[in-house]
Amino acid sequence: MQTAFVGLGAMGSHMARNLHRAGLLAGVWNRTGAKARALADELRCRAYDSLAELAQICDAVVICVSADDDLRAVIDAMAPTLRRGTLVIDCSTVGAATARDLHARLGAAGVDFLDCPVSGGVEGARTAALAIMVGGDESAFGRAQPILQKMGRTIAYMGPSGAGQAAKATNQIMCAGIIQAVAEAMAFAKAEGLPLDRVIDTLGKGAGSSWYFVNRAPFMADNKFPAGFRVRLHAKDLRICRDMAARHGARLPVVESTLQEYALLIDQGFGDEDISSIFRLKSGLFPQNPPMGG
Ligand code: NAP
């Protein structure tokens, strides 16, 4: 399948490389064209200037852009030239309602749309170890397998259109609670004067451990939060969770408190740091912890 990739950010650039290694990548497009040209030079594939032109050449297109309006803008630009039977695989995290809307709109033109949000971070994208949660028509899911398997290790069909995004929202609620708990625990360990490396090594094998503890507590111990999963992206995801929960008449305390803390971090200029930078706020709960610089 001639497969194109749209959205070469922290996640998409690695996912596109994995498709290239599998011999599937026909071309790339990115809003900031320089990124597309640099990756095309590296992979010796074509960088397209126009989404309409890219849409014409592909049997499948994988998209990984930031948020709902960005996905809609990409689809608007491609829709007029997408051929019947083309498979659109959207790996962005957006609302389930957006996925259902695009599925219906493209479906009317004979184009299959799958919501395929991913989990596993930049590390998972690089090593093709992502968990991919899929919503849409089962026949399209079958056709997408050769592509999804080159980007992820765990690929699960969740149900009709929007179900992949609902599963991803479930994951994002968990991540909020876990990053809060890990940061609070690490701030406590620091205030207790514990050897943080040893704490991470030991508790990382205990019942309270998690991917976030093993992989992000070291960032907290070093007071460095290099871009991995950015605060403002998780805040975007939690607003999606808030809207989806509100449709059930529910308000979720973990979502609300994490959004409040992320708003503080964004105000303080840390919105592009990894979400482990919530440790900045938790560390400050203990007056004896040294102040953290910007
Ligand atoms: P990122 O590094 O910020 O990249 C975002 C990409 O979207 C860039 O290629 C950007 O183009 C493009 N984009 C943004 N607005 C656009 C628009 N209006 N039209 C066209 N392209 C647009 O983000 P990321 O970390 O790769 O995340 C991408 C998606 O994956 C998000 O939905 C995120 O929630 C999800 N996700 C991220 C992680 C993670 O750990 N980072 C994990 C799981 C899922 P430019 O280069 O021009 O800015």
Side-chain angles (χ1 to χ4, degrees):
M1 268 200 269
Q2 289 277 306
T3 305
F5 205 104
V6 169
L8 304 170
M11 299 292 287
S13 52
H14 292 300
M15 293 156 78
R17 282 190 185 94
N18 288 329
L19 293 184
H20 167 75
R21 277 185 206 110
L24 290 173
L25 191 68
V28 293
W29 181 91
N30 193 65
R31 178 180 59 178
T32 306
K35 281 192 206 168
R37 288 189 291 277
L39 193 70
D41 280 352
E42 176 192 323
L43 304 181
R44 302 196 183 286
C45 70
R46 177 157 174 205
Y48 285 80
D49 291 328
S50 134
L51 274 172
E53 200 186 342
L54 170 136
Q56 267 171 341
I57 61 106
C58 55
D59 305 310
V61 55
V62 184
I63 304 172
C64 190
V65 295
S66 306
D68 297 57
D69 286 348
D70 309 315
L71 174 64
R72 286 182 185 282
V74 165
I75 297 289
D76 285 348
M78 289 196 310
T81 48
L82 280 172
R83 289 178 280 143
R84 286 186 82 77
T86 304
L87 184 55
V88 176
I89 296 174
D90 174 42
C91 295
S92 323
T93 303
V94 299
T98 298
R100 284 193 288 269
D101 181 42
L102 294 174
H103 172 267
R105 196 177 132 199
L106 292 181
V111 172
D112 283 317
F113 179 89
L114 289 172
D115 45 304
C116 298
V118 301
S119 175
V122 174
E123 293 91 337
R126 195 181 57 245
T127 58
L130 293 168
I132 309 183
M133 296 144 270
V134 185
D137 301 345
E138 257 188 294
S139 57
F141 175 61
R143 287 175 61 212
Q145 283 294 333
I147 296 170
L148 297 176
Q149 280 171 7
K150 296 296 181 276
M151 302 190 294
R153 190 176 291 155
T154 307
I155 295 143
Y157 180 70
M158 291 291 167
S161 182
Q165 295 294 354
K168 172 72 184 185
T170 306
N171 185 67
Q172 298 314 78
I173 296 167
M174 271 198 290
C175 290
I178 294 166
I179 200 69
Q180 288 247 21
V182 169
E184 244 168 67
M186 286 296 287
F188 173 83
K190 185 170 159 187
E192 286 288 319
L194 290 171
L196 296 182
D197 290 354
R198 223 172 303 157
V199 165
I200 294 167
D201 198 39
T202 309
L203 303 192
K205 298 176 182 80
S209 186
S210 62
W211 186 94
Y212 273 105
F213 185 70
V214 171
N215 291 283
R216 295 299 182 248
F219 287 15
M220 299 175 192
D222 287 349
N223 289 337
K224 290 198 184 101
F225 312 99
F229 184 30
R230 289 185 293 128
V231 168
R232 52 177 102 250
L233 276 183
H234 197 200
K236 177 262 298 180
D237 295 352
L238 293 177
R239 285 192 293 273
I240 291 171
C241 299
R242 170 194 271 166
D243 291 349
M244 290 178 71
R247 287 174 191 225
H248 298 281
R251 191 174 160 83
L252 302 179
V254 166
V255 169
E256 295 304 325
S257 66
T258 310
L259 277 170
Q260 273 176 15
E261 300 207 8
Y262 284 174
L264 284 175
L265 285 174
I266 292 167
D267 274 357
Q268 292 170 17
F270 302 124
D272 287 319
E273 288 190 342
D274 181 77
I275 61 170
S276 48
S277 92
I278 202 167
F279 180 71
R280 293 178 180 282
L281 305 179
K282 304 296 189 184
S283 184
L285 295 174
F286 295 87
Q288 66 271 50
N289 282 344
M292 297 186 62

